[in-house]
Amino acid sequence: MKIQLLSYLLLLCCGTLFAQQKQFKVLHATTKKPVSNAHVYKDLVLIAVTAKNGTFILNQEALSGTYNVQAFGFETISFEVDKNSLIQLIYIAPAPEVLSEVIVQSALNPIILQKEATAINIVNSDDFSRTDGTNVLESFNNVPGIYVNQGALNTNKINIRGIGARSQYSTNRIQAYFDGIPLTSAEGELTLDDFDQETIEEIEITKGPTSSRYGAGLGGAIHLYSKKNVSEGTQAELSTQLGSFNTQKHVAIASYSTAKSSINAAFTRLTSDGYRENGSYTRRSALVSGNFEAGKTGKISYLANLTRLKAFIPSSINATDFMNNPEAAAFTWKKAQGYESYDRGLLGASYSNKIIENFTNSTSVFVSFRDAYEPRPFDILKENTTSIGARTLFNLTTDILKVPSDASFGAGYYKEYYSTATYENLYEEVPNQGSLQGVGLSNNEQDRSYANFFGQIHLHFTKKWNFEVGFNVNTTRYSLTDLFDGDEVNQTGNYRFETVFSPRIGTSYQIATGKNVYVSVSQGFSTPTVAETLTPEGQINTDLKPEMGINYEIGFKGNWLRNTLYTELSVYSIQIDNLLVAQRTAEDQYIGINAGKTNHNGIEFLSSYHFRTANGISIKPYLSTAFNFFEFEAFTTNDKDFSGNKLPGVPEYTMNLGVDVVSESCAAFWVTFRSVGRIPLDDANSLYSENYQLVNLKASYPITLLDNLKLTIYGGINNVFDEKYASSILTNAVGFGGQLPRYYYPGNPRNYYGGLQVHYIF
C-alpha cells in the first residue's frame, strides 16, 4: 500500500513538473534541420541553450513576454510563446553576412553556396532595406555583373554579363521562377517589376549560361522565393509611403502559421504621376502563398498572384531634350497618350514527398495568363496569353563507386497559347483625345511549347573536393496562324528548332577552412521569338538559328576574420555564336537576323564586412564591382563590319559601395554609392553615354508601443546630389524624317520619400 501511494505521489509530482514546462525546437529556416547551441535570451539575460536536436525547455513561470534567439551564422529573431502548441517550432535564417552558410535553394541538389561551382548571388532583406521599395529591380544593381536599365517603373531591362543588352524594351534571354513556377514566357520575355519586395524572402541570381539546369536561358536564371513565417502564430502588417512625383505605396500583409501549415497574403497598391510627361502609373497586386503537410513525409505548397496595371509611356528622347528638357515625353507618345495596361495572373502548386529514406520527388504544376492592351503612336496592340506547364524533379542520395553522391533528374513541359492583333491608331484625327482604335491591321495566333529533360550528379570525393556534371536536352516548336484576311500575305506556318543538348561540368575545392575555389564550363542557348523569325514580307525565316553560348569560369568564395568578412571573385569568358540582332526596318519595327559572334569577358568582385562596436552598433560596409570587356568578334550587317567594336548597351564598369548601420534598438541608417561607366550607344561605337554617380540615403526608427505592437518610421533621399544621367539606353536608335535619334531615358532627379509601418503579433 505504501509503495502504491509513493508511486501515485511521484506521478503527481512529475505531472505537475511537466505541466510547468514547455518545449521548443529551433530549426534552420531553409533546410529545416535542428540548430544546436542557439542561445535564448529574455531581457538580455541568457535563459536557455539548444541541445543537439535543437530543443530547449522553459518553465511555466517564464512563459511570458518576448524572447530572442541568437546563433552563430544566423539572424537574431524574436518570438512570442504559443501556448496552444505542444512543441513550438522556431525558424531562424542564415545571417546575410555569412553567405557561406546559405543553402542554394535553386540548385537541383541542395548545396551550400560556398561549395557551388557556379556564380550565384543572393538578394535578400539587407538589399531591400536600402531602397525606397517602389521597384524590386533596384536591388539587382548591387549584384556584380548585372545592369538594370530603368526607363520607368514599367520599362525595365535586365542584362546579365552583357546578355540581353541589345533587347529594345524588355528583358529576354533570362529564365525566371517564383517558388519554382516559371515567370519567363515561352518566347523568352520577362517582367519582374510586377512583384513587390515585401512579399519576397530572397532572390537567387545565377549568372551565365544555365541551360543545363533551367532550359533556354543564355544570360542566366533568377529565382524569387516568397516570404515565409519564421515563427508560429498570426501577424499583420500595414505600411504607407509617400514620395516625390506624388508617388504613393500602400501595403497590407497578413500571415498565419502553425507547426504543420502556413499561409501568407499581401495586397499592394502603387501609384505615381512620374517625373516625366505622360508618365503616370497605377498597379494593384495581390499575392497568396502557403504550404501544409500532406501525410507523414509529404508537403504541398501553393502560390497565387494577380496584378492589374495601367502605365503611361513617355518613351525615349533625343540628346537635345535629354540635356534641356528631360521631363518631356517623346512627341508622338505624348500626343497619342500611349500606355500599356494588362491583367496578369499566376497560379501554381507543388507536392514534395520523401519516397524512401534517400529518394525524394518534387512536382509542380502551374497556369498563368495575361490580357494586355497597348495603344502606341504607330498602332494599337492587343495581346492574350495563356500558359500551362509542369515540372518534376527527383533527388537521390547514394554512393557511386563508393563515392558519396547526390543525383538529380527530371523533366519539364511548358505550353503557351498566344494571340495578338494590331489596329490603326487614329489619335491624329481626334486632337487632344489620345488614342482611338481604328480598323484591324493584323490578327495572329501563336502556339509555342518546349520540353526539357535534365540530370545532374554531385560527387563528393572528399570533404573538401566536390565535382558536378549535368546536362539538359531541349526541344522547342511553335506555330503561327494568320487570321487576318485584309491583305494577300499569309503568315501561317509551323517550325521546330533542332534539339539542343547543353552540358555542364564544374568542380570546387576547399583550399582552407571557409575558403573555396571553383572552375566550371557550361553551355547555354536562347531561341528566337516569333517576332524575330518573321521577315519584312511576313514570312517565317526558317534559316534563323538559336543563339549558342559557352561559359568558361574560375572563381573564389571565402570568409575571413572569423566570418566577419566575406569575398567573392570570378573571372569568366562567354563566347556567343549565331548572335541574334534586332535590325531596324522602320521607326519602331525590327526583324531578327543571325549576324555574328560576341565575346563577353569580365571580372567580378564582391565583398562585405560586418562588425559591432563596443556599444552594440552593427556596421556593415560592402563593395561590388564588375569590369566588362564585351566586344563583337565577328559582326557584319547591312554591309557594315563592326567586328572588334564594343557591345552597345553595356557599361564599361559598374561599382556599388555603401554602409549599413544598425543600432541595438534596430534604428538604422543606409548610405549607398553607385558609379556607372560609359555605355556605347550603337554598334559603330560612334556615341557613348556619360558615366555617372548616384548617392542615396535612408534612415528608419522603430518604436515599440506594446510587446506585440511595433511602429517603424522611415524616410530617404534618392540622387542626393541631383545628378543628371540616363537611367536606360535604347541602342542603335535611328532618327526618321529628319529627327534626331531617341537614345535616352532620363533618370529621376533628386527625390524624397517617407513612410510608416505598423506590425502587430496577435
Side-chain angles (χ1 to χ4, degrees):
M1 185 65 179
K2 292 181 180 180
I3 295 177
Q4 288 179 329
L5 289 173
L6 181 61
S7 299
Y8 289 143
L9 182 61
L10 287 173
L11 287 173
L12 180 62
C13 291
C14 290
T16 304
L17 178 63
F18 290 142
Q20 294 176 343
Q21 294 180 331
K22 179 175 175 61
Q23 188 173 1
F24 301 80
K25 191 169 187 177
V26 179
L27 301 173
H28 191 296
T30 303
T31 65
K32 306 301 184 291
K33 293 182 178 180
V35 178
S36 61
N37 201 36
H39 289 55
V40 183
Y41 293 87
K42 183 181 181 183
D43 298 327
L44 302 180
V45 177
L46 178 65
I47 60 174
V49 178
T50 60
K52 288 185 177 181
N53 62 355
T55 61
F56 67 93
I57 295 174
L58 296 181
N59 293 327
Q60 189 73 31
E61 58 268 18
L63 299 181
S64 63
T66 302
Y67 300 83
N68 293 321
V69 178
Q70 296 181 0
F72 180 75
F74 291 85
E75 291 183 315
T76 298
I77 71 159
S78 300
F79 74 93
E80 302 280 341
V81 174
D82 179 8
K83 296 182 179 180
N84 296 322
S85 63
L86 184 62
I87 300 178
Q88 184 170 343
L89 303 181
I90 303 168
Y91 296 97
I92 59 176
E97 64 269 14
V98 190
L99 288 173
S100 59
E101 298 297 324
V102 172
I103 302 296
V104 179
Q105 301 182 66
S106 59
L108 298 182
N109 307 109
I111 189 172
I112 295 175
L113 174 65
Q114 191 167 341
K115 295 183 179 181
E116 175 66 279
T118 307
I120 297 178
N121 290 101
I122 309 295
V123 177
N124 54 34
S125 57
D126 271 12
D127 302 284
F128 297 151
S129 297
R130 300 168 185 143
T131 73
D132 61 15
T134 55
N135 192 333
V136 70
L137 297 183
E138 174 65 21
S139 299
F140 284 38
N141 280 314
N142 283 333
V143 177
I146 292 185
Y147 181 68
V148 180
N149 287 268
Q150 295 176 281
L153 286 174
N154 62 309
T155 307
N156 299 278
K157 183 174 63 175
I158 307 169
N159 78 68
I160 300 180
R161 294 180 171 178
I163 298 171
R166 297 178 61 86
S167 172
Q168 295 300 308
Y169 306 110
S170 59
T171 298
N172 60 21
R173 290 156 176 75
I174 297 172
Q175 287 294 315
Y177 303 83
F178 196 117
D179 283 351
I181 300 171
L183 299 176
T184 305
S185 73
E187 286 199 295
E189 297 287 336
L190 173 62
T191 301
L192 288 181
D193 40 74
D194 282 347
F195 298 96
D196 295 287
Q197 63 186 40
E198 290 84 1
T199 64
I200 299 172
E201 185 72 33
E202 71 174 25
I203 302 171
E204 294 180 3
I205 302 175
T206 305
K207 297 178 292 189
T210 58
S211 298
S212 63
R213 294 182 174 185
Y214 310 115
L218 190 61
I222 300 173
H223 289 79
L224 290 76
Y225 293 96
S226 59
K227 187 164 287 186
K228 305 294 191 300
N229 296 336
V230 296
S231 60
E232 297 177 24
T234 303
Q235 302 181 47
E237 184 175 291
L238 296 174
S239 64
T240 186
Q241 177 178 304
L242 306 177
S244 300
F245 323 122
N246 194 28
T247 302
Q248 301 182 33
K249 183 176 182 180
H250 309 287
V251 182
I253 301 174
S255 64
Y256 174 73
S257 180
T258 68
K260 296 185 178 181
S261 66
S262 70
I263 183 171
N264 298 269
F267 176 79
T268 304
R269 186 175 188 270
L270 176 63
T271 62
S272 179
D273 292 342
Y275 161 58
R276 300 176 60 200
E277 297 174 332
N278 204 59
S280 65
Y281 177 97
T282 301
R283 174 170 59 83
R284 288 169 290 177
S285 59
L287 185 142
V288 177
S289 64
N291 60 75
F292 58 89
E293 291 185 4
K296 293 183 179 180
T297 60
K299 181 180 179 181
I300 293 178
S301 302
Y302 54 88
L303 171 74
N305 177 253
L306 299 173
T307 300
R308 171 163 288 182
L309 172 85
K310 184 173 183 179
F312 285 81
I313 301 173
S315 195
S316 56
I317 56 177
N318 60 44
T320 301
D321 287 337
F322 174 68
M323 293 303 299
N324 302 316
N325 192 20
E327 68 273 13
F331 175 77
T332 54
W333 283 89
K334 178 183 177 181
K335 192 173 181 181
Q337 298 178 25
Y339 66 89
E340 69 166 332
S341 65
Y342 58 76
D343 292 332
R344 175 179 176 179
L346 177 66
L347 304 171
S350 63
Y351 175 66
S352 302
N353 183 43
K354 181 187 291 186
I355 301 174
I356 55 176
E357 183 60 31
N358 298 322
F359 189 44
T360 63
N361 172 256
S362 177
T363 299
S364 302
V365 294
F366 69 90
V367 59
S368 62
F369 66 86
R370 182 176 181 270
D371 188 9
Y373 185 77
E374 184 176 349
R376 308 175 294 188
F378 44 92
D379 64 19
I380 294 177
L381 173 67
K382 284 186 176 182
E383 297 176 294
N384 188 277
T385 307
T386 302
S387 306
I388 58 173
R391 187 174 188 262
T392 187
L393 170 66
F394 294 90
N395 288 98
L396 175 65
T397 301
T398 185
D399 288 348
I400 299 178
L401 300 178
K402 298 183 179 180
V403 176
S405 307
D406 299 311
S408 62
F409 58 91
Y413 180 77
Y414 190 12
K415 178 75 172 179
E416 184 172 270
Y417 304 92
Y418 173 62
S419 62
T420 176
T422 58
Y423 302 85
E424 286 185 344
N425 193 336
L426 305 178
Y427 70 96
E428 293 182 308
E429 300 181 14
V430 285
N432 303 317
Q433 298 299 312
S435 296
L436 178 65
Q437 183 174 311
V439 299
L441 301 175
S442 67
N443 186 7
N444 298 300
E445 290 183 355
Q446 303 170 5
D447 295 341
R448 176 171 288 219
S449 63
Y450 67 75
N452 290 316
F453 304 91
F454 51 86
Q456 181 171 287
I457 296 176
H458 265 102
L459 300 172
H460 309 287
F461 289 118
T462 67
K463 291 183 178 180
K464 295 183 177 182
W465 181 24
N466 293 283
F467 179 85
E468 63 181 81
V469 61
F471 73 92
N472 182 290
V473 177
N474 176 277
T475 61
T476 301
R477 65 178 69 189
Y478 67 87
S479 64
L480 175 64
T481 304
D482 190 341
L483 302 175
F484 185 65
D485 55 8
D487 56 28
E488 297 180 356
V489 178
N490 184 3
Q491 302 177 2
T492 300
N494 297 306
Y495 191 58
R496 175 175 179 173
F497 294 108
E498 293 182 1
T499 300
V500 179
F501 176 77
S502 301
R504 167 185 164 74
I505 188 171
T507 184
S508 69
Y509 184 78
Q510 181 179 307
I511 57 176
T513 302
K515 300 172 182 62
N516 283 60
V517 294
Y518 71 89
V519 178
S520 66
V521 180
S522 59
Q523 180 177 292
F525 72 98
S526 287
T527 57
T529 66
V530 173
E532 288 172 327
T533 63
L534 296 180
T535 67
E537 294 76 26
Q539 302 301 311
I540 294 178
N541 179 6
T542 57
D543 295 327
L544 207 58
K545 300 177 181 178
E547 287 183 330
M548 303 294 294
I550 299 180
N551 180 59
Y552 305 91
E553 185 165 351
I554 182 171
F556 169 83
K557 304 174 186 178
N559 288 309
W560 310 83
L561 306 177
R562 297 183 179 180
N563 285 348
T564 59
L565 174 65
Y566 179 76
T567 59
E568 287 186 5
L569 175 68
S570 59
V571 181
Y572 65 88
S573 179
I574 305 174
Q575 281 80 52
I576 297 178
D577 200 2
N578 296 325
L579 177 69
L580 280 168
V581 175
Q583 189 177 80
R584 189 183 296 268
T585 59
E587 183 174 3
D588 290 284
Q589 294 179 340
Y590 308 83
I591 62 169
I593 60 172
N594 289 119
K597 302 178 180 180
T598 56
N599 288 331
H600 299 243
N601 303 318
I603 302 172
E604 299 167 356
F605 178 75
L606 170 68
S607 177
S608 64
Y609 180 55
H610 186 213
F611 65 95
R612 293 182 183 272
T613 64
N615 57 356
I617 296 177
S618 171
I619 301 177
K620 180 183 176 183
Y622 63 90
L623 166 69
S624 70
T625 186
F627 299 95
N628 305 318
F629 309 98
F630 305 155
E631 63 180 23
F632 295 112
E633 178 181 337
F635 178 30
T636 302
T637 179
N638 291 332
D639 297 325
K640 295 180 180 179
D641 189 355
F642 300 119
S643 302
N645 288 1
K646 295 180 180 179
L647 192 69
V650 185
E652 295 174 331
Y653 72 88
T654 58
M655 181 176 66
N656 294 274
L657 56 87
V659 60
D660 305 342
V661 181
V662 183
S663 71
E664 279 191 318
S665 66
C666 292
F669 182 68
W670 297 270
V671 182
T672 62
F673 172 81
R674 177 176 304 151
S675 181
V676 177
R678 299 189 311 159
I679 302 176
L681 300 182
D682 58 12
D683 295 332
N685 296 170
S686 61
L687 293 171
Y688 283 77
S689 69
E690 296 293 331
N691 62 353
Y692 63 87
Q693 292 77 39
L694 299 176
V695 175
N696 299 331
L697 303 176
K698 183 181 178 181
S700 72
Y701 185 77
I703 302 172
T704 301
L705 301 178
L706 300 170
D707 286 343
N708 55 351
L709 178 62
K710 186 171 76 172
L711 183 73
T712 302
I713 303 172
Y714 65 92
I717 308 173
N718 294 324
N719 194 1
V720 173
F721 297 106
D722 204 20
E723 179 92 346
K724 179 175 285 188
Y725 68 104
S727 58
S728 185
I729 294 297
L730 180 64
T731 59
N732 294 307
V734 177
F736 288 86
Q739 301 295 317
L740 294 174
R742 298 188 285 113
Y743 286 110
Y744 305 96
Y745 288 86
N748 289 340
R750 183 190 299 117
N751 60 93
Y752 309 85
Y753 64 93
L756 179 68
Q757 182 185 78
V758 179
H759 185 88
Y760 184 75
I761 301 175
F762 291 89

